[in-house]
Amino acid sequence: MPGKNLSRDEAQQRASILGVDAYRVRLDVTSATDPAAATFRSTTTVAFRCTEPGASTFLDLLAAGVRAVTLNGRALDPATAFDGARVHLDGLAAENVLVVDADCAYSRTGEGLHRFTDPVDGETYLYTHYEPADARRVFATFEQPDLKAPFTFTVTAPAAWNVWSNAPHENVTEDGAARTWEFAPTRPISTYLTAVVAGPYHVARDHYSRTLADGTVLEIPLSAMCRRSLAPSFDADEILGVTKLGLDFFHEQFDYPYPFGKYDQAFVPEYNIGAMENPGCVTFREEFVFRSRVTDAAYEGRANVILHEMAHMWFGDLVTMRWWDDLWLKESFADFMGSYGLVGARTRYSGAWVTFANQRKAWAYRQDQFPTTHPITADIRDLEDAKLNFDGITYAKGASVLKQLVAYAGSEAFFEGARRYFKRHAFGNTELGDLLDILEETSGRDLKSWAAAWLQTAGVNALTPEVTVDAEGRITELAIHQDGEVLRPHRIAVGLYDRDADGALVRTRRIELDVTEARTVVAEATGLARPALVLLNDDDLTYCKIRFDAESLETLRAGLGDIEDDLARALAWSAVWNLTRDALMPARDYIALVLRFAGQEANIGVLQSLHSQAKSAVDLYADPAWRGEGGRLLADGALRELRAAAPGSDHQLAWARFLAQTANGSEHLGLVRGLLAGTARIDGLEVDQELRWALWLALAAAGQASDEELAEELATDNTASGRRQHTQCLAARPTPEAKAAAWSAVIDSDELPNALVEANIAGFALPGHRDLTSLYAAPYFKLLERIWADRTIEIAMRIVGGFFPQAQVSEATLAEADGWLAGHPDAAPALRRLVLERRDDLARALRAQACDRA
């Protein structure tokens, strides 16, 4: 499989004969401040060994051009050695030195070396992002995780800039308008983990010290940085405070000193993902710098990501998967440790497991029910497969299964296994078996059969209670039915709930047991009084969908909001949402639950999830004949709860944002305009800049925001965020011209940066504009293969997923998708997977609408 898409077989063959000793990478980015300059100079020197002298191999490189290639002093002709994606080498010696001098392109897609110019002050910023395989856009590399090596970076940049990389800098020399930064060699790391951040960033510094068990003192310099124009909003003390709590916690749990010297955290613009665990130089999306008021759920989410990336310093950076099949060896662990660490490190986010149960697992349940679902340990044939595998299975399902493993094997056995894993495989690469061998040592359990059921099979089980009672209302049998193609061993708790004297639903009995068969009897429940609610998987120990017996479901309909415990209530909310998605509960019934009980939901993160899910229920799952009424009910409910919420509270802000999403009548839109104009007021609600854009989006989508008004708002907020929001508002207008402009901006040109591609798609694809966007379904299917071939994979994924006619919930649209799939059996597997998943969402929506109609 030649070209950009490196295959697993090629990687295995290359690793079988090569060992890499060192990279020296020299970058000259002094041209970055010139908008007309498209490229930068990249010179790579690689020292590597070959066990088969005389053999041939290749390096990966995506460059605008190659100036020179020299192998062991022998000049190679770039015209024949470089094919646009690879540098081909033959006649290898046992010991080799290769030098590649190239011109690489600055990126606007967030892949490789991304360049951003701040509209506020004109300053230019650079940062790299590589995972899974974009280091080759910056320097010549053996682009696979198991060919680790030390890296030494030298970066020449404008003199006014600072530069960071994975290791500390050792020397800085100035030469007129430029400075050259020489960095120390790193420890052996994978290519995708290397990093460079450069520009006039605002920096906050701190320090972490820890006395280790042997008496030595570990010193870790800390820094956090963002663009200068964001500095007034940068709460670095909070960020660095969470960082120090995390370092304490992970050192206690892992018993392996942080291995990468310093710890920098850069919050960077137009970032494609949440964050990236580059050792010693972590990068985050700058939306985590909150320039307007957000709810506490946003702060919790940021703290979770900080700890997630920190866990990667051990799970992923110190010990790395051999190939992307075992991506879960780092991502599942980091996702688990993010929530585990928030609680264990004694941060103020003690409800992290509630968020995990309600939000992260919703992602996993959705992904695991696609026809494209895969085992946690996946079959990754090539880099395109790898790119798509950063999904809800690898992250959230994997983390859920690790939580089950901790319950199954015991917490101490699990973490002792982690400690041995780090010591045994430090700076190396591993596979599933390496971890299981160690966990079997520490737990004494047969984890290979456990892994076969949990890690090597796909799909989610549903657990359903069956309760029989005698004439006196006592349980004669409580049985648990397990459905699914693969029956798995579940360690679960069963919670029995009744109302207390104050009317709250509280747990009166907890029974923990193993569920291993299709039907398991809960013997301990026999003879107990029938409770009002039987809640399976109480405490959220396992990964499953939970169902209810008829009486428990009626209890929830009458009093879901009365469940006193936050986690139990979140599990109930998650379960009824799954019932709705599975067409077992009418969408209007789910919406009724939200309208009745969301106003008393204490957990702000759960409340915001309910808002998102209720909006989806109306837009996608409700009978189209009832959709209008459902939308009005949501908007009326949002307005009612906004007025009732405590002034200045997070809940008030959440309901204000929900009103902006649902406003559809004159009363709602009149209030929206009044809030923007200052003629209406909700006591305690600050209409700051981000909320203003949300309100403008509501008016734009309703056709009540003029070009002049939107331009005036942009003039007061001519920032990167303001430009994104303005772009989305323009695309959200309900006119054929607005939709055509948004479509053309994305499809007909590749000049837009990633952030504006995303903004145009978001505004174009509003579900309420399905009549306007229906015209684009046929063109969409015709252009798929061209988009996949011509665009970078990141941008292609956004276009394929974002422009899919998801709002056109009809048999005709389903037939169009099926026709494309049937007619393009040889299209790129990753492209087919994206279309197949969107097609499955469409089919699910049709089933849910039929349920709601019935």
Side-chain angles (χ1 to χ4, degrees):
M1 188 181 296
K4 297 180 183 179
N5 195 9
L6 178 73
S7 74
R8 177 177 53 203
D9 291 344
E10 288 177 309
Q12 289 173 342
Q13 193 280 329
R14 190 162 61 176
S16 72
I17 64 169
L18 300 184
V20 186
D21 296 316
Y23 285 86
R24 296 188 67 86
V25 179
R26 178 177 287 273
L27 305 177
D28 184 341
V29 296
T30 52
S31 63
T33 55
D34 178 4
T39 62
F40 58 93
R41 185 94 175 257
S42 169
T43 306
T44 308
T45 303
V46 192
F48 65 98
R49 290 163 280 112
C50 177
T51 60
E52 297 179 6
S56 300
T57 193
F58 63 91
L59 279 83
D60 304 284
L61 177 65
L62 299 176
V66 172
R67 302 183 182 205
V69 180
T70 305
L71 175 63
N72 299 329
R74 171 169 56 99
L76 306 181
D77 182 0
T80 56
F82 178 59
D83 65 6
R86 297 179 176 187
V87 178
H88 298 274
L89 308 175
D90 56 18
L92 297 179
E95 303 280 343
N96 301 274
V97 176
L98 174 72
V99 182
V100 180
D101 189 358
D103 293 305
C104 294
Y106 293 110
S107 169
R108 293 309 312 275
T109 67
E111 301 153 292
L113 182 63
H114 188 83
R115 176 170 61 177
F116 172 85
T117 300
D118 192 335
V120 174
D121 54 18
E123 296 285 6
T124 298
Y125 295 87
L126 302 178
Y127 64 86
T128 58
H129 178 69
Y130 298 149
E131 192 173 37
D134 284 317
R136 58 191 171 152
R137 297 182 183 274
V138 177
F139 58 92
T141 168
F142 296 110
E143 191 78 286
Q144 58 192 80
D146 58 343
L147 288 177
K148 284 186 167 184
F151 285 81
T152 303
F153 281 92
T154 302
V155 181
T156 302
W161 286 15
N162 288 320
V163 182
W164 294 264
S165 187
N166 303 92
H169 67 268
E170 292 186 320
N171 190 42
V172 182
T173 57
E174 191 159 347
D175 181 13
R179 282 197 293 178
T180 297
W181 298 69
E182 299 174 59
F183 293 90
T186 70
R187 302 297 295 271
I189 58 176
S190 300
T191 56
Y192 76 90
L193 292 168
T194 59
V196 171
V197 174
Y201 286 88
H202 165 77
V203 187
R205 302 187 189 278
D206 205 334
H207 197 85
Y208 175 85
S209 297
R210 183 179 183 85
T211 302
L212 303 177
D214 63 3
T216 61
V217 178
L218 179 68
E219 303 284 359
I220 305 176
L222 308 177
S223 77
M225 65 205 77
C226 69
R227 287 186 288 125
R228 283 181 182 173
S229 64
L230 282 177
S233 302
F234 195 41
D235 54 338
D237 288 346
E238 169 75 12
I239 290 165
L240 293 169
V242 171
T243 301
K244 287 188 277 191
L245 288 173
L247 287 169
D248 266 341
F249 180 71
F250 288 131
H251 278 102
E252 291 165 7
Q253 295 297 320
F254 295 159
D255 191 32
Y256 192 105
Y258 172 72
F260 298 110
K262 66 183 179 66
Y263 202 84
D264 300 324
Q265 296 175 99
F267 292 77
V268 298
E270 297 183 333
Y271 205 47
N272 283 331
I273 60 173
M276 181 63 203
E277 68 268 18
N278 317 305
C281 190
V282 183
T283 40
F284 297 81
R285 66 187 297 117
E286 71 176 15
E287 284 76 8
F288 285 128
V289 180
F290 305 123
R291 69 187 196 125
S292 291
R293 182 162 174 250
V294 295
T295 69
D296 207 47
Y299 287 96
E300 179 188 318
R302 183 180 67 184
N304 187 300
V305 174
I306 289 171
L307 296 190
H308 174 118
E309 303 309 325
M310 188 179 293
H312 273 311
M313 299 299 130
W314 290 267
F315 282 113
D317 295 359
L318 177 65
V319 185
T320 312
M321 72 269 155
R322 190 172 309 284
W323 176 249
W324 301 101
D325 292 346
D326 282 307
L327 177 64
W328 78 279
L329 279 172
K330 70 185 189 77
E331 294 302 348
S332 297
F333 278 88
D335 216 49
F336 170 75
M337 293 306 304
S339 298
Y340 191 89
L342 283 181
V343 177
R346 295 179 291 280
T347 71
R348 65 188 181 90
Y349 307 108
S350 57
W353 286 121
V354 176
T355 306
F356 182 84
N358 186 255
Q359 296 179 14
R360 298 302 282 181
K361 292 181 87 168
W363 182 26
Y365 295 141
R366 177 175 181 263
Q367 191 82 45
D368 211 10
Q369 293 176 89
F370 283 142
T372 57
T373 188
H374 57 86
I376 294 171
T377 299
D379 179 25
I380 304 300
R381 298 159 294 185
D382 54 47
L383 292 178
E384 287 191 359
D385 276 359
K387 183 70 173 178
L388 267 65
N389 241 45
F390 290 82
D391 62 14
I393 303 298
T394 300
Y395 283 75
K397 180 181 179 180
S400 304
V401 168
L402 288 178
K403 190 177 183 187
Q404 169 67 180
L405 176 59
V406 172
Y408 181 75
S411 176
E412 182 51 40
F414 176 83
F415 282 103
E416 177 57 27
R419 295 171 200 127
R420 296 185 191 183
Y421 180 70
F422 300 138
K423 292 180 175 69
R424 199 168 298 176
H425 297 289
F427 301 105
N429 297 85
T430 58
E431 298 172 339
L432 168 63
D434 299 311
L435 178 65
L436 293 182
D437 288 345
I438 292 173
L439 289 175
E440 285 186 337
E441 291 174 15
T442 59
S443 70
R445 292 253 197 177
D446 171 19
L447 291 181
K448 290 185 175 59
S449 58
W450 181 91
W454 276 110
L455 302 177
Q456 296 171 316
T457 61
V460 56
N461 300 118
L463 301 184
T464 306
E466 179 185 88
V467 187
T468 57
V469 297
D470 60 19
E472 297 178 349
R474 296 200 167 272
I475 296 174
T476 56
E477 185 179 75
L478 170 56
I480 300 171
H481 293 268
Q482 178 180 184
D483 298 322
E485 292 184 10
V486 177
L487 300 183
R488 298 183 175 90
H490 296 268
R491 184 72 181 173
I492 73 165
V494 178
L496 307 183
Y497 286 75
D498 274 306
R499 292 194 179 274
D500 66 8
D502 297 322
L505 281 166
V506 298
R507 187 166 68 188
T508 57
R509 190 72 171 256
R510 180 185 186 274
I511 303 169
E512 189 168 323
L513 74 159
D514 290 322
V515 174
T516 58
E517 306 297 334
R519 188 174 191 273
T520 301
V521 174
V522 185
E524 196 175 328
T526 302
L528 299 177
R530 158 80 218 204
L533 170 66
V534 177
L535 182 62
L536 302 185
N537 196 31
D538 207 359
D539 297 328
D540 198 34
L541 299 181
T542 194
Y543 170 77
C544 68
K545 292 191 295 184
I546 58 174
R547 308 299 198 200
F548 301 101
D549 64 285
E551 187 170 332
S552 294
L553 188 56
E554 285 307 308
T555 295
L556 293 178
R557 290 183 189 276
L560 191 157
D562 298 332
I563 300 175
E564 186 174 70
D565 180 74
D566 281 0
L567 179 55
R569 197 172 60 252
L571 290 170
W573 278 121
S574 174
V576 295
W577 176 239
N578 279 322
L579 288 172
T580 306
R581 293 191 70 249
D582 292 346
L584 298 174
M585 173 181 279
R588 68 190 71 194
D589 287 8
Y590 176 78
I591 291 162
L593 285 170
V594 172
L595 290 171
R596 184 171 182 184
F597 299 117
Q600 65 189 83
E601 176 53 54
N603 185 287
I604 187 62
V606 172
L607 176 63
Q608 290 174 285
S609 291
L610 296 179
H611 288 165
S612 173
Q613 290 163 356
K615 185 75 166 58
S616 293
V618 166
D619 290 337
L620 299 175
Y621 298 155
D623 177 9
W626 185 80
R627 186 185 291 139
E629 181 182 348
R632 286 190 294 274
L633 288 171
L634 283 187
D636 288 342
L639 181 57
R640 180 180 65 251
E641 297 296 344
L642 170 60
R643 288 175 169 153
S649 66
D650 279 2
H651 285 65
Q652 183 188 57
L653 177 60
W655 284 109
R657 289 188 168 278
F658 192 48
L659 177 64
Q661 294 169 28
T662 57
N664 57 33
S666 58
E667 181 184 9
H668 315 124
L669 292 168
L671 176 60
V672 165
R673 183 164 285 281
L675 289 171
L676 281 167
T679 57
R681 186 170 180 272
I682 301 291
D683 187 31
L685 180 67
E686 178 187 354
V687 184
D688 57 22
Q689 188 59 64
E690 291 298 314
L691 183 54
R692 287 186 64 83
W693 279 118
L695 297 171
W696 276 120
L697 181 61
L699 292 178
Q704 297 187 21
S706 69
D707 288 358
E708 293 75 18
E709 287 176 316
L710 295 175
E712 184 178 336
E713 190 69 27
L714 177 62
T716 66
D717 183 33
N718 191 18
T719 62
S721 178
R723 289 187 176 187
R724 289 196 304 272
Q725 308 266 24
H726 179 256
T727 298
Q728 184 175 353
C729 286
L730 292 179
R733 294 170 298 171
T735 67
E737 294 79 11
K739 300 307 177 186
W743 175 273
S744 178
V746 174
I747 297 299
D748 297 337
S749 170
D750 62 358
E751 294 300 312
L752 282 184
N754 50 347
L756 295 188
V757 168
E758 188 175 87
N760 271 291
I761 292 173
F764 173 94
L766 293 179
H769 296 167
R770 54 182 60 82
D771 290 344
L772 286 166
T773 56
S774 63
L775 303 174
Y776 294 87
Y780 166 86
F781 288 108
K782 290 178 181 177
L783 60 79
L784 285 175
E785 289 186 294
R786 175 175 66 81
I787 291 295
W788 197 259
D790 293 350
R791 304 296 180 92
T792 67
I793 190 169
E794 181 68 39
I795 298 300
M797 287 169 58
R798 292 183 186 213
I799 294 172
V800 173
F803 276 143
F804 185 92
Q806 199 66 56
Q808 316 303 324
V809 183
S810 68
E811 294 291 347
T813 312
L814 193 67
E816 284 191 274
D818 287 340
W820 185 88
L821 289 163
H824 297 81
D826 298 324
L831 171 58
R832 285 182 55 83
R833 172 178 166 175
L834 285 170
V835 175
L836 188 57
E837 289 177 353
R838 299 290 80 73
R839 182 262 179 216
D840 191 71
D841 278 336
L842 196 63
R844 179 178 291 274
L846 283 169
R847 294 193 297 271
Q849 288 185 6
C851 172
D852 192 60
R853 191 158 45 245

